[in-house]
Amino acid sequence: MRNMFSQTLFECASENPDIYIVVADISPAGPMMDFQTNHPDRFINVGVAEQTMIGMCAGLALKGCQPFAYTIATFTLYRPFEMVRDDLGYQNLPVTIVGMGAGVIYSTLGGTHHTMEDVAVASAIPNMRVLAPCDPAELVEATRYCAYQKEGPVYLRIGKAGEPTFTDTAVDKFEFGKIRYIQKGTDVCILAYGTIMAKAMEVAKELEAKGKSVSVVSAHTIKPLDRPGIEAALNDHDQVIVVEDHVPEGGLSSRVKQIAWDVQAKCKLHTFTLKDEFIHNYGSQDDLLAAHGISVPLILEQVA
């Protein structure tokens, strides 16, 4: 995803001279090097100064530019939170905050690099919208949306590297603010967003092998959430499963539960999130997800 974001932004910047990227201690490589080489006046590295990164993006936006703030997710949102809230949210500026390596992708770097509550934090800011594409193809659509929208700030939650593509044959096209069916079934609906979609697809395959007809939905726009789409998914399936690499509060799971209560949904509803705790163990992304209770066997055990 990281390289796909860089490539897409470089292409957009070649079309739109208003696009700037301000990074905080991210070494340009691959397509990002193309951006720096071809548009050196629009590539700014502030070093380890994330507050400055956000403030500079706000200034650029006030001058009519279309800036992107880009670094590792914990440092693009948490460290400069006051500036994100006051400089971008309060003034409703069209700045895209790119959180790279979200969730527990940076597994071996410990809790300082685990972005476990970013959706809740970003969603709580008035005017902020939250996008979390599930694969590189969807990321292209999300990046192009961010490159041209003028409605206000966006938090773009992305992976890092090696994510597979699921949406090439999706039932629905990408549309900001709308859930997207990757595949459509009648018995079970799995809702997910971001890189955890890989787990959701594995679960879907296992359930299909047991004779279930399974829908898989990318809820790429977390805020504003497609409430009518979620209501329809709850009403049209006997069982709904939500999978997300985020803490229980303030993410997709808690919002789906609220909607299910509001509409008195009759389906069985299962939610799988990160635990409301810091997991003190060392390992791969899959190791940490499993420690949080998110693995294909653990999910299947509970939803069977």
Side-chain angles (χ1 to χ4, degrees), residues 7-28:
Q7 178 181 329
T8 305
L9 189 64
F10 169 62
E11 292 169 358
C12 291
S14 298
E15 301 167 0
N16 181 2
D18 290 334
I19 292 176
Y20 282 71
I21 186 162
V22 185
V23 305
D25 198 35
I26 293 290
S27 300

Side-chain angles (χ1 to χ4, degrees), residues 46 48-56 75 79-81 83 87:
V46 300
V48 188
E50 290 83 359
Q51 294 92 337
T52 300
M53 173 182 69
I54 297 299
M56 189 172 290
F75 306 120
R79 183 171 289 171
F81 176 77
M83 290 72 190
D87 294 355

Side-chain angles (χ1 to χ4, degrees), residues 36-82:
Q36 184 185 43
T37 301
N38 289 274
H39 311 296
D41 55 328
R42 292 188 275 146
F43 181 95
I44 304 166
N45 190 342
V46 300
V48 188
E50 290 83 359
Q51 294 92 337
T52 300
M53 173 182 69
I54 297 299
M56 189 172 290
C57 283
L60 287 166
L62 287 169
K63 290 296 184 179
C65 300
Q66 194 81 15
F68 284 69
Y70 176 57
T71 189
I72 296 171
T74 48
F75 306 120
T76 199
L77 182 63
Y78 296 169
R79 183 171 289 171
F81 176 77
E82 182 181 3

Side-chain angles (χ1 to χ4, degrees), residues 134 179-182 188-194 196-197 199-201 203-204 214-220 222 225-226 229-234 237 239-245 252-253 255-257 259 267 269-272 299:
C134 73
I179 62 172
R180 181 188 194 187
Y181 280 83
I182 297 175
V188 182
C189 180
I190 304 176
L191 294 161
Y193 62 86
I196 204 70
M197 182 60 75
K199 299 289 185 195
M201 295 299 292
V203 171
V214 184
S215 295
V216 180
V217 172
S218 172
H220 50 72
I222 309 299
L225 187 61
D226 180 7
I230 298 294
E231 289 182 9
L234 292 166
H237 300 84
Q239 188 175 28
V240 174
I241 302 166
V242 184
V243 185
E244 63 177 329
D245 52 346
L252 180 63
S253 295
R255 296 179 201 184
V256 171
K257 286 179 180 178
I259 294 170
C267 64
L269 177 58
H270 303 269
T271 60
F272 298 89
I299 293 172

